[in-house]
Amino acid sequence: MIQIVMAGALLLLAIARVPAMTRNGKDTVFYAAVFEAGAMVLIDPDVYTTTDALLGGVNLIKLINSILMVLGLWFLRAAVLNAISPDNGKRNVWARRLPLLATVALQLLFFFLTGLLPSTPTWGQYHNHLTAALFSMMVIAFVGWSCGEIAWACIRFIPKMRKAFKVGFSMVGLGCLISVYTAAFMADEVIRSTGFFPFLGSRTFATQPFAVYELFAIVLVGVGLTIPAVAGRAARKKHRSRIQRMIENVQPIRDRVLKNARMDRLLETDANASEQDRLHRMIVEIWDAELAAGKGATVLTEQERSYLLSLETDLDLERSS
């Protein structure tokens, strides 16, 4: 049941990212949440046994579940690193994808080398097969590596962030540290359950509440990623309102100074231009009209001139002639 709760938390994160997905046409956090939610649903014991029976009862759902988990973590890692690490996008694209491709390829290899074994709610009982243990270790190693890299990036860049981002990515980093801790203990469980190292003693997965750790980590990461997104939407809304007020103030000035201007002195209108670009175009046209008035003449009052100069400074616009 706890896996369904985790899937629900991840779907809430996906829903929170729908505006970004709609605005940009893609969103790696959305992809991460959807893939991880799928993995959490399939790992629920009741869902697992029911769906795997439909595929022949040979643990194919375990393979699908593990690949979904790896893909979800890959997109989460990409989302966080692209957001906070300026060097991430500079690396060769195939070099960046190599860990993902290697992990998925080795998952497939070890799964089919283990053989199509009868379906059971817990894959861990097959860890006496070396290839089955290696299959699990590949997933665990990928979880530890990806979450560890995210946590390290958060630790490095959090001090440079603004308040909302600092709070959000602190939660993301803490959630990933918990995932690294969980992965280390899961690796220990796999090694002990193989029986290949009897001197370590034996232990079962039931002795550690891994699902509770994972749920806590998912909640921290989900809330942490939502905080900057909400803050960003609020900041964008505030910025749009501010630009709109500036346009309302500049429009009467432009209409007056360009009242008798020839068409060749007006910039071509771009229907797809942003409001800030539209404002910039209006200011440029006003300065052009001022220059056309000739030396010693002016079409602007001192108050209007001061206001336009303050806008240029405020928006970091470059004057054109």
Side-chain angles (χ1 to χ4, degrees):
M1 182 61 187
I2 197 169
Q3 289 86 1
I4 301 300
V5 175
M6 287 190 280
L10 287 161
L11 286 175
L12 287 176
L13 174 60
I15 292 170
R17 300 298 302 190
V18 168
M21 182 73 175
T22 304
R23 185 173 60 253
N24 302 323
K26 61 180 181 179
D27 185 75
T28 46
V29 176
F30 177 85
Y31 299 147
V34 170
F35 280 122
E36 288 295 327
M40 290 300 106
V41 169
L42 292 178
I43 207 172
D44 178 79
D46 294 332
V47 176
Y48 182 92
T49 52
T50 301
T51 53
D52 198 61
L54 298 175
L55 298 179
V58 290
N59 289 301
L60 284 175
I61 291 297
K62 176 63 180 177
L63 177 63
I64 295 170
N65 158 264
S66 298
I67 291 176
L68 287 175
M69 186 177 296
V70 166
L71 288 172
L73 282 169
W74 177 257
F75 281 116
L76 174 64
R77 172 185 168 275
V80 175
L81 294 184
N82 289 338
I84 66 178
S85 175
D87 297 327
N88 186 62
K90 296 178 182 178
R91 291 184 291 173
N92 179 272
V93 63
W94 288 108
R96 295 201 306 267
R97 291 175 182 171
L98 184 60
L100 172 65
L101 298 174
T103 299
V104 172
L106 289 172
Q107 278 182 296
L108 291 167
L109 174 65
F110 292 139
F111 181 84
F112 288 108
L113 284 177
T114 301
L116 301 178
L117 301 172
S119 179
T120 58
T122 305
W123 175 261
Q125 75 178 58
Y126 292 125
H127 284 158
N128 58 309
H129 297 271
L130 177 60
T131 49
L134 290 173
F135 174 85
S136 293
M137 288 298 291
M138 284 305 306
V139 180
I140 293 169
F142 190 87
V143 170
W145 168 75
S146 56
C147 290
E149 190 169 11
I150 293 171
W152 173 238
C154 289
I155 291 169
R156 286 177 59 201
F157 293 104
I158 281 172
K160 304 175 184 178
M161 296 179 185
R162 299 191 303 274
K163 186 176 180 181
F165 285 78
K166 187 173 291 187
V167 172
F169 283 105
S170 292
M171 296 178 71
V172 171
L174 179 58
C176 287
L177 285 174
I178 292 172
S179 293
V180 172
Y181 172 85
T182 305
F185 272 88
M186 291 184 74
D188 176 66
E189 293 287 349
V190 172
I191 293 171
R192 289 173 184 270
S193 64
T194 60
F196 299 142
F197 306 97
F199 60 89
L200 294 176
S202 62
R203 216 189 284 175
T204 64
F205 279 96
T207 61
Q208 291 288 335
F210 294 122
V212 176
Y213 299 156
E214 291 170 349
L215 177 59
F216 191 36
I218 285 171
V219 170
L220 281 171
V221 172
V223 174
L225 289 173
T226 302
I227 289 173
V230 171
R233 283 199 293 273
R236 286 191 296 272
K237 184 177 180 180
K238 183 178 179 181
H239 179 70
R240 283 196 299 270
S241 298
R242 185 162 152 267
I243 294 295
Q244 187 59 46
R245 287 195 300 272
M246 292 177 180
I247 289 175
E248 291 172 358
N249 292 332
V250 171
Q251 185 73 53
I253 302 174
R254 176 189 178 275
D255 291 345
R256 180 176 59 80
V257 302
L258 297 180
K259 187 174 182 180
N260 299 314
R262 299 194 312 270
M263 289 301 296
D264 62 357
R265 286 195 171 276
L266 299 180
L267 299 179
E268 185 177 349
T269 301
D270 182 0
N272 298 318
S274 66
E275 289 190 329
Q276 183 160 327
D277 288 341
R278 180 184 164 202
L279 175 61
H280 190 185
R281 179 179 60 81
M282 291 167 64
I283 293 173
V284 169
E285 288 177 332
I286 293 170
W287 288 127
D288 282 348
E290 175 77 348
L291 290 170
K295 188 173 181 181
T298 181
V299 294
L300 298 170
T301 66
E302 285 302 318
Q303 184 179 5
E304 289 170 341
R305 180 187 295 275
S306 298
Y307 179 64
L308 292 173
L309 289 172
S310 69
L311 288 188
E312 287 189 325
T313 302
D314 193 18
L315 298 176
D316 194 25
L317 299 178
E318 294 181 1
R319 283 180 64 174
S320 301
S321 59

